[in-house]
């Protein structure tokens, strides 16, 4: 029931406020200096919540908005419970206090309490009796009292940022001691198959030949990788990125093997391109699953970017195209296996 009410509050312009009490879910709407607050109290989360606790939380909420310059703050307390008697006992002196019987799906207004809350009663009675699928709720963003969204660590693209920073640090080190990392870290056919240095599949992903090489890869990684990680989650993004990078390296080694069979010299290769193309390959599938649109991206734009970049590599020399193609194909397949589309609430008109 709490999730259901939270969803409809969000649909009607209320912002969810970050709290550190699991039994309290707070929403607010700011209009011309006036703050309307809805405080959901879930007695299943904490059956021992008391009247004093509810009163204290309500007071602190009011003070926080007043400190932010609010002229008026009106707070409605909604207690969601199955034990009506215990829930009604939480009301105390609060005028705006209602109870929702979770089992009966019924709104209870105690005697002496407000009969309405700025037209909110009719809406609420509609919401609690409406057919509701938990999947349609999706994820909600928490906001501060100033109305700015608060992002938690779980929602941040930590893996992508870490990869970005590590690439920059490694490149900086290579400018100081150029031969060490390039000699021992590049994707070398001889190093892997003759010396057994399998670690090169990973180390080559953090090496770049010059500034332009680094910048071109990092731009795509930063602007597109953040979106992919947000959709996949940290762990799955880690698997996709490095899995595609290793697969791109394997494709590169296969082409080097063919070059050796044809009497050509197989030179080592470096760069995050295989993994970056894998990330973009994964993005293609994510866009397909989201009907070709996600954030500010469209499927056609991403496809154009990928084909243009692949074409540029084919028209250039000293470019490891096998790693590019191997990466993008692996990333696409990995996304098919790893990605589960997030439910996104549709924008609807207010229920009246």
């Amino acid at each position: 029931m709490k999730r259901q009410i939270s969803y409809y509050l969000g649909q009607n312009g209320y912002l969810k406020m970050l709290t550190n009490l699991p039994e309290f879910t707070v929403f607010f709407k700011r209009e011309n200096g006036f703050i309307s607050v809805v405080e959901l109290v879930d007695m299943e989360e904490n059956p021992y919540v008391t009247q004093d606790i509810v009163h204290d939380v309500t007071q602190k909420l009011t003070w926080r908005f007043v400190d932010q310059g609010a002229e008026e703050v009106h707070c409605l307390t909604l207690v969601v419970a199955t034990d009506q008697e215990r829930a009604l006992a939480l009301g105390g002196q609060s005028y705006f206090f209602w109870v929702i019987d979770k089992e009966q799906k019924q709104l209870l207004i105690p005697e002496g309490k407000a009969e309405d809350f700025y037209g909110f009663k009719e809406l609420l009675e509609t919401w609690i009796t409406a057919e509701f699928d938990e999947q349609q709720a999706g994820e909600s963003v928490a906001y501060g009292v100033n109305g700015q969204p608060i992002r938690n660590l779980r929602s941040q693209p930590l893996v992508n940022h870490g990869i970005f920073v590590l690439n920059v640090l490694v490149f900086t080190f290579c400018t100081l001691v150029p031969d060490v990392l390039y000699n021992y870290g590049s994707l070398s056919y001889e190093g892997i198959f003759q010396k057994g240095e399998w670690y090169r599949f990973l180390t080559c992903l953090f090496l770049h030949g010059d500034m332009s090489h680094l910048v071109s890869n990092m731009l795509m990684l930063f602007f597109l990788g953040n979106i992919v990680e947000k959709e996949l989650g940290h762990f799955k993004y880690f698997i996709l990125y490095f899995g595609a990078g290793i697969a791109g390296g394997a494709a590169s080694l296969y082409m080097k093997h063919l070059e050796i069979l044809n009497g050509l010299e197989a030179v080592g290769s470096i760069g995050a391109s295989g993994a970056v193309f894998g990330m973009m390959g994964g993005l293609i599938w994510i866009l397909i699953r989201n009907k070709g649109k996600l954030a500010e991206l469209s499927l056609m734009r991403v496809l154009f970017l990928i084909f243009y970049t692949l074409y540029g590599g084919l028209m250039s020399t000293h470019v490891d195209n096998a790693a590019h193609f191997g990466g993008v194909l692996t990333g696409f397949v990995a996304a098919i296996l790893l990605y589960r589309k997030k439910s996104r609430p549709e924008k609807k008109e207010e229920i009246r």
Side-chain angles (χ1 to χ4, degrees), residues 160-294:
N160 201 54
H161 287 173
I163 294 170
F164 180 91
V165 171
L166 192 54
N167 271 280
V168 173
L169 290 176
V170 170
F171 181 78
T172 302
F173 183 80
C174 287
T175 59
L176 302 175
V177 190
D179 295 333
V180 176
L181 292 183
Y182 290 130
N183 289 340
Y184 292 97
S186 64
L187 187 67
S188 165
Y189 187 89
E190 177 184 354
I192 290 178
F193 290 111
Q194 295 182 14
K195 298 180 181 179
E197 296 170 344
W198 299 98
Y199 65 84
R200 290 176 180 265
F201 276 107
L202 289 176
T203 55
C204 70
L205 299 177
F206 296 96
L207 298 173
H208 292 85
D210 52 34
M211 181 62 75
S212 63
H213 187 200
L214 175 73
V215 170
S216 61
N217 278 336
M218 292 304 100
L219 282 175
M220 288 190 289
L221 179 69
F222 186 81
F223 289 108
L224 300 181
N226 289 348
I227 297 173
V228 176
E229 183 174 352
K230 180 181 178 182
E231 291 298 309
L232 286 178
H234 304 319
F235 183 65
K236 290 181 179 180
Y237 179 73
F238 182 92
I239 293 175
L240 183 144
Y241 182 88
F242 287 104
I246 292 171
S252 175
L253 285 179
Y254 178 73
M255 293 303 297
K256 295 181 194 300
H257 176 70
L258 295 180
E259 291 174 357
I260 292 174
L261 292 179
N262 288 309
L264 302 174
E265 181 183 1
V267 298
S269 58
I270 56 176
S273 301
V276 172
F277 270 96
M279 173 270 297
M280 293 195 291
L283 182 57
I284 292 175
W285 176 250
I286 292 172
L287 283 165
I288 290 173
R289 292 287 288 116
N290 286 277
K291 300 180 180 179
K293 190 76 174 177
L294 184 66

Side-chain angles (χ1 to χ4, degrees), residues 25-175:
T25 307
V26 179
F27 292 84
F28 68 95
K29 182 189 288 187
R30 185 187 299 268
E31 294 178 320
N32 300 322
F34 170 77
I35 304 294
S36 173
V37 180
V38 178
E39 174 187 60
L40 283 175
V41 184
D42 188 348
M43 293 193 70
E44 286 192 353
E45 287 280 356
N46 182 7
Y48 305 105
V49 65
T50 65
Q51 182 183 124
D52 290 338
I53 292 174
V54 174
H55 176 75
D56 185 54
V57 170
T58 304
Q59 285 291 97
K60 288 181 178 179
L61 284 171
T62 302
W63 293 337
R64 289 185 67 180
F65 284 111
V66 170
D67 288 341
Q68 287 289 321
E71 298 174 4
E72 287 187 69
V73 181
H74 292 171
C75 181
L76 170 66
T77 301
L78 285 175
V79 179
V80 180
T82 54
D83 188 335
Q84 290 187 19
E85 185 176 350
R86 291 198 60 208
L88 291 170
L90 300 180
Q93 300 300 314
S94 175
Y95 182 60
F96 294 109
F97 177 87
W98 297 344
V99 172
I100 297 174
D101 188 316
K102 187 175 181 180
E103 290 185 348
Q104 300 296 325
K105 293 186 176 181
Q106 181 182 8
L107 175 64
L108 305 174
I109 301 179
E111 185 177 351
K113 305 301 182 183
E115 291 293 329
D116 205 351
F117 185 74
Y118 306 104
F120 190 65
K121 177 187 174 184
E122 185 178 350
L123 284 174
L124 186 58
E125 289 176 330
T126 303
W127 298 346
I128 62 179
T129 57
E131 292 294 327
F132 182 73
D133 181 1
E134 290 282 338
Q135 294 297 319
Q136 76 184 96
E139 296 181 1
S140 57
V141 177
Y143 292 79
V145 291
N146 58 359
Q148 296 299 315
I150 298 174
R151 299 171 182 260
N152 55 34
L153 284 178
R154 191 173 181 179
S155 68
Q156 298 299 309
L158 300 178
V159 174
N160 201 54
H161 287 173
I163 294 170
F164 180 91
V165 171
L166 192 54
N167 271 280
V168 173
L169 290 176
V170 170
F171 181 78
T172 302
F173 183 80
C174 287
T175 59

Side-chain angles (χ1 to χ4, degrees), residues 318-347:
H318 307 299
V319 174
D320 195 343
N321 291 296
H324 294 179
F325 282 95
V328 73
L329 291 174
T330 302
F332 182 79
V333 173
I336 294 175
L337 299 175
L338 296 173
Y339 181 61
R340 297 295 177 269
K341 181 181 176 182
K342 296 181 179 180
S343 58
R344 307 179 194 278
E346 298 178 0
K347 293 184 178 180

